Amino acid sequence: MLSGRRVRELGSHPRYLDILGLNFYYDNQWVYPNGRPPWETMPRDLRRRLLHRLLGQINSRYRRPMIMAETWHFDDRRGRWLPVANEMDLAQT
């Protein structure tokens, strides 16, 4: 809708998209109707989409510069969330 592709009468246009700010959290991906799978299963659960592939799809769709504006986890699990940085590296290749 922001790029004007879907509902043009809103006054949107691709020129209004300069930099895309993206957020990625441990509980971004849900499974209907059961809710979200445990984040620890992310690499093993084939239903989950890897971050670098999501970033590639966003890049293909919008062809605009992107920044990872926010990502996080909480408590003692934060250290295990750090591999998300590897996913961002994969997205650059």
Side-chain angles (χ1 to χ4, degrees):
M1 292 177 79
L2 290 174
S3 67
R5 291 186 215 171
R6 202 172 252 187
V7 186
R8 294 188 187 275
E9 60 269 18
L10 292 178
S12 298
H13 192 274
R15 71 177 171 262
Y16 299 131
L17 297 175
D18 54 355
I19 297 175
L20 301 176
L22 308 171
N23 298 337
F24 187 73
Y25 305 109
Y26 71 96
D27 60 353
N28 268 111
Q29 300 180 50
W30 290 58
V31 177
Y32 179 82
N34 301 325
R36 63 181 180 253
W39 74 272
E40 291 90 348
T41 67
M42 185 166 52
R44 296 182 306 275
D45 191 326
L46 297 178
R47 297 171 297 177
R48 295 198 69 124
R49 307 207 21 223
L50 296 173
L51 175 59
H52 75 273
R53 293 195 181 175
L54 292 171
L55 294 173
Q57 290 174 331
I58 292 167
N59 183 54
S60 294
R61 180 181 298 164
Y62 295 107
R63 298 289 181 199
R64 296 290 193 266
M66 300 181 291
I67 61 167
M68 182 58 66
E70 191 170 312
T71 186
W72 71 280
H73 208 302
F74 59 92
D75 296 334
D76 60 344
R77 299 177 188 163
R78 286 180 294 198
R80 291 186 288 162
W81 184 245
L82 285 177
V84 77
N86 295 334
E87 287 289 313
M88 288 185 272
D89 283 341
L90 287 172
Q92 293 179 18
T93 59

